[in-house]
Amino acid sequence: MKKVFLVPLSILMLFGCGAPKALLTADKSPIVTQMDLLNVVDDKVMVSLDPGVFNTDEVTFYIPMTVPGTYSLDNYGKYIDDLKALDYDGKELAFTRSDENTWNISNGKNLDKVTYWVNDTYDTENEVEDAVFSPSGTNILSGENFVLNLHGFIGYFKGFTEVPYEIVISKPADLVATSSLVEKKQAKSNPTKDTFLASRYFEVTDNPILYAKPNSATFQIKDIKVTLSIYSPQGKFTATELKVPMERMMAAQKNFLGEISSTKEYNILLYVAAMQDDAKGFGALEHHTSTVVVLPEWLPMEEMQKAMIDVVSHEFFHTVTPLNVHSKEIQFFDFNDPKMSQHLWMYEGTTEYFANLFQIQQGLIDEGDFYERMMDKIYNSKSYDDTMSFTEMSRNVLDNPYKPNYRNVYEKGALINMCLDILLREWSNGDKGVLWLMKELSKKYGDNAPFEDDQLINEIVGMTYPGIRTFFDDHVIGGKPIDYAGYLGKVGLTTANEEEESGYFLKGDIPYIDVDPNNGDAIFVREGIKLNNFLEQLGAKGGDVFKSINGIPIDLEAMRFVIGQSFGWTPGTEIIMKVKRGDEELTLQGGVGSPMQTVEKIVPKDNATEMQKKLRMSWLKG
Ligand SMILES: [Zn+2]
């Protein structure tokens, strides 16, 4: 599932068959797919799909509406132009398009192939409201790079998702492919043609390809070969440079997982987005043996490294769940009529929790860092509906009111796992935790052995302690908010308020203000967060829209300027801010003072017992 990275401040070419067609029926012959990256026309790529012979009068062709891990309906059919269904004489067959992603082709018995043009999604991200999340999107930049999330290019025929695909790609000689797809063995390599094989449609969608000028590095972590490939428009980021921190991190992940991890190859495809008119959805999407990551070019090297560690560690842990441990809904994913599983608390929650826990267990971060991350999650989770059932949200995540709560899977979803981990440790005298549970589940299930969605929790109760049912009933199935202090207390921790310095408009990297793209990029004070004493004492309130600061009319550019200036303010500096609150315009005025913020922290209890300390060690150090 995807991991969103939040940034601070936020010619009709007919591919001739050549040799006489062997008349294999559609269920027995591979779908030969051609993609032409050499002759890009109007920023579009020509694709043709040549299946075997159909024995039905109507053949339905689909492009996915959605793909696993995105939890959004993206209608990739929108990006398809000028589809033609051709018979064996090259004549066009009639069809109807019943929705954006579905073509019903008449006279199916005569269908030889379909051809169409594909637009990329990155180009339209600024124009459409519900843009495709960039790591699951597509990019076509003739001669420069191609981000081939193949579900955006290649479709499937109804009833034939389990037939193999042969994907033949014509490509510029100086661009190289990185992908986990199997390459077809050729007698002779051709610098302008790659041929890949996929055993079924799912495999097509599960193995994105990045075409770019060579910028990659490979390293071995025990039995996994990892390749990092980068498209960086100005060459700012090189794979050799980013390899070092990635290698260290993935070695630690592998240590943490032990025998649970079985992947032999892993490809990290990093697309670095230029400042303007490029991909805007930063983060990554997981696949069985690869991930596509999209991050902005303006990140300093150090921030890029940090972002890669956070994002890729999360994606790599997805090799445990849902890629390995998952329900039937995921194993037999319907790309145009998806049924959602109830278990986002595990698919995303456990994954995100592990992405933090392994760092403390393996010594990449210290206890303080770990507590701060968990505290941030407690804090962030409060901006979602804390009484919403996680299983219900998960099952209905594509619809309202559940959809806006999806992102809580990274916050409360991780915390559910933290509490479950502490509980399991407590009841097993420190022996067993969530990692143990995932090992047991992956022994029982696995890549080709999905579980029954409504039986998972019963299974977990059966494998652990009867009392675990109450936890699931209350906080995963039910909507009872979690008393985090109670769980932290079991391991001798508590929460305490501390005063910390902040910036005037930023706390660390996190701004107190935000931009509203639905209101002409207005800058406003964020709601539902604790403000610093500078904003509080001036009387600012969440939702206030900045009109002017010290006479400067405020837009995004001006706000950046004011933030830059604020680094030079002294406590005596005077400020006049005009803000709009509802229909009212207010003037907020005064000395800027020294900005401080009350921060709630997780800290060790003074009177923690030896038992609690021991339990904490087993939790944090495994
Ligand atoms: Zn995820």
Side-chain angles (χ1 to χ4, degrees):
M1 331 264 136
K2 72 187 176 196
K3 166 80 179 170
V4 178
F5 172 71
L6 291 176
V7 294
L9 207 40
S10 340
I11 22 209
L12 175 68
M13 272 186 55
L14 288 176
F15 296 92
C17 284
K21 194 176 177 80
L23 291 177
L24 277 175
T25 54
D27 58 331
K28 298 219 167 45
S29 64
I31 296 175
V32 179
T33 306
Q34 314 246 9
M35 293 175 65
D36 186 353
L37 309 184
L38 274 172
N39 300 288
V40 173
V41 178
D42 294 338
D43 221 19
K44 288 183 255 189
V45 163
M46 168 60 86
V47 175
S48 90
L49 266 78
D50 187 351
V53 179
F54 293 98
N55 54 20
T56 52
D57 289 328
E58 188 175 278
V59 170
T60 304
F61 178 69
Y62 293 110
I63 293 285
M65 172 199 269
T66 182
V67 290
T70 58
Y71 306 108
S72 67
L73 299 178
D74 291 317
N75 299 310
Y76 295 93
K78 266 196 309 227
Y79 302 92
I80 304 299
D81 281 349
D82 203 19
L83 182 134
K84 289 187 168 60
L86 302 170
D87 70 11
Y88 292 101
D89 299 324
K91 287 208 200 75
E92 291 182 32
L93 293 169
F95 60 79
T96 57
R97 188 169 179 177
S98 47
D99 60 42
E100 278 177 317
N101 315 298
T102 314
W103 291 261
N104 309 294
I105 302 165
S106 328
N107 211 348
K109 287 174 184 161
N110 287 328
L111 179 66
D112 178 20
K113 64 175 78 171
V114 296
T115 68
Y116 49 86
W117 291 95
V118 182
N119 284 294
D120 66 333
T121 69
Y122 287 10
D123 281 352
T124 60
E125 281 193 21
N126 292 317
E127 296 152 26
V128 295
E129 221 173 87
D130 254 345
V132 174
F133 180 55
S134 310
S136 57
T138 54
N139 197 40
I140 298 169
L141 189 57
S142 186
E144 269 293 309
N145 79 76
F146 296 86
V147 176
L148 306 184
N149 267 304
L150 292 172
H151 55 257
F153 289 88
I154 303 176
Y156 60 100
F157 297 95
K158 188 179 185 173
F160 296 90
T161 54
E162 303 305 304
V163 300
Y165 279 69
E166 181 172 327
I167 304 163
V168 184
I169 303 179
S170 308
K171 55 101 180 173
D174 61 339
L175 299 188
V176 293
T178 306
S179 173
S180 295
L181 271 180
V182 173
E183 267 198 78
K184 189 180 181 182
K185 295 261 180 297
Q186 307 278 10
K188 195 163 113 208
S189 75
N190 180 338
T192 61
K193 189 174 274 185
D194 288 336
T195 304
F196 298 99
L197 302 172
S199 67
R200 62 182 189 127
Y201 185 66
F202 183 86
E203 226 177 274
V204 174
T205 65
D206 192 39
N207 292 288
I209 311 173
L210 173 69
Y211 274 100
K213 304 224 164 75
N215 179 2
S216 68
T218 296
F219 51 92
Q220 191 78 26
I221 309 271
K222 292 186 178 159
D223 53 350
I224 319 183
K225 187 182 153 200
V226 183
T227 299
L228 167 66
S229 271
I230 304 178
Y231 170 73
S232 179
Q234 312 290 329
K236 178 175 172 186
F237 299 103
T238 65
T240 33
E241 241 180 321
L242 274 172
K243 178 184 129 158
V244 180
M246 301 304 286
E247 197 170 358
R248 176 166 172 250
M249 169 198 86
M250 291 185 78
Q253 285 190 286
K254 195 65 185 146
N255 262 338
F256 172 83
L257 287 174
E259 82 249 40
I260 199 171
S261 150
S262 57
T263 310
K264 295 280 173 279
E265 179 188 4
Y266 200 74
N267 288 298
I268 303 160
L269 316 182
L270 170 61
Y271 179 90
V272 177
M275 310 268 185
Q276 275 163 356
D277 302 326
D278 203 342
K280 297 267 181 302
F282 304 131
L285 185 70
E286 78 279 14
H287 299 283
H288 277 76
T289 53
S290 60
T291 181
V292 176
V293 186
V294 178
L295 288 169
E297 191 182 28
W298 55 261
L299 288 178
M301 185 63 185
E302 198 185 327
E303 293 297 319
M304 175 60 87
Q305 291 184 357
K306 262 199 230 160
M308 283 293 281
I309 286 174
D310 282 346
V311 170
V312 178
S313 63
H314 175 101
E315 301 311 327
F316 185 68
F317 278 134
H318 272 309
T319 58
V320 177
T321 190
L323 300 176
N324 197 0
V325 178
H326 56 240
S327 72
K328 291 185 169 165
E329 282 72 7
I330 291 176
Q331 180 82 11
F332 306 107
F333 188 80
D334 190 326
F335 295 89
N336 281 280
D337 185 17
K339 312 282 182 296
M340 293 295 148
S341 163
Q342 305 173 44
H343 302 296
L344 277 173
W345 70 271
M346 181 176 78
Y347 305 144
E348 288 303 332
T350 305
T351 301
E352 177 65 9
Y353 175 61
F354 281 178
N356 288 281
L357 185 67
F358 96 100
Q359 298 197 43
I360 168 83
Q361 272 203 16
Q362 299 293 317
L364 300 184
I365 58 174
D366 63 24
E367 265 179 69
D369 288 335
F370 181 74
Y371 299 152
E372 198 179 323
R373 286 161 177 246
M374 293 303 114
M375 198 65 227
D376 283 348
K377 292 198 184 294
I378 292 174
Y379 191 78
N380 296 339
S381 72
K382 305 290 183 200
S383 57
Y384 302 94
D385 183 350
D386 202 19
T387 63
M388 184 176 273
S389 153
F390 245 66
T391 46
E392 200 174 313
M393 188 257 278
S394 184
R395 202 180 311 142
N396 300 290
V397 72
L398 300 173
D399 308 312
N400 284 328
Y402 307 98
K403 196 176 161 171
N405 284 279
Y406 165 74
R407 290 200 44 79
N408 205 14
V409 298
Y410 302 113
E411 314 292 350
K412 191 176 176 181
L415 295 167
I416 286 172
N417 282 272
M418 176 184 84
C419 297
L420 182 62
D421 206 13
I422 291 174
L423 213 50
L424 289 174
R425 292 282 184 191
E426 184 187 29
W427 291 350
S428 65
N429 290 316
D431 282 352
K432 297 170 180 170
V434 173
L435 181 60
W436 168 85
L437 176 64
M438 292 314 295
K439 280 184 183 162
E440 292 302 303
L441 287 171
S442 61
K443 273 185 219 159
K444 184 155 186 183
Y445 302 101
D447 200 5
N448 294 308
F451 58 77
E452 292 288 344
D453 209 64
D454 57 2
Q455 288 304 313
L456 179 69
I457 290 170
N458 290 338
E459 295 261 359
I460 293 174
V461 173
M463 289 159 77
T464 57
Y465 305 94
I468 286 287
R469 185 178 298 282
T470 313
F471 178 84
F472 278 98
D473 282 348
D474 285 353
H475 307 304
V476 183
I477 301 168
K480 193 173 163 188
I482 300 175
D483 167 27
Y484 297 106
Y487 288 91
L488 293 169
K490 291 173 187 292
V491 287
L493 298 173
T494 186
T495 55
N497 284 331
E498 285 179 16
E499 289 288 312
E500 260 186 10
E501 276 181 33
S502 75
Y504 289 97
F505 299 97
L506 311 171
K507 174 179 168 258
D509 290 341
I510 305 163
Y512 295 107
I513 56 177
D514 208 345
V515 188
D516 185 358
N518 296 321
N519 180 21
D521 283 351
I523 313 290
F524 64 98
V525 178
R526 287 175 56 195
E527 289 174 273
I529 63 161
K530 181 99 179 74
L531 300 177
N532 61 9
N533 64 348
F534 157 72
L535 289 163
E536 262 177 358
Q537 280 163 12
L538 282 174
K541 288 214 157 54
D544 285 359
V545 175
F546 291 98
K547 289 293 165 194
S548 70
I549 295 175
N550 294 336
I552 304 168
I554 291 300
D555 58 12
L556 187 55
E557 202 58 30
M559 195 66 221
R560 285 198 182 114
F561 173 76
V562 171
I563 291 172
Q565 271 194 331
S566 73
F567 294 112
W569 293 351
T570 60
T573 305
E574 290 284 320
I575 188 171
I576 303 176
M577 301 198 303
K578 287 198 165 41
V579 301
K580 199 165 177 196
R581 185 177 301 162
D583 293 330
E584 238 184 315
E585 222 172 271
L586 302 168
T587 303
L588 310 175
Q589 188 167 357
V592 298
S594 306
M596 298 292 285
Q597 156 114 55
T598 310
V599 187
E600 199 178 7
K601 289 193 161 182
I602 297 172
V603 293
K605 263 194 207 164
D606 290 336
N607 56 353
T609 65
E610 283 312 309
M611 276 289 282
Q612 291 171 336
K613 286 182 190 165
K614 226 180 114 200
L615 202 58
R616 192 198 308 161
M617 285 317 286
S618 65
W619 167 48
L620 296 179
K621 290 296 167 184

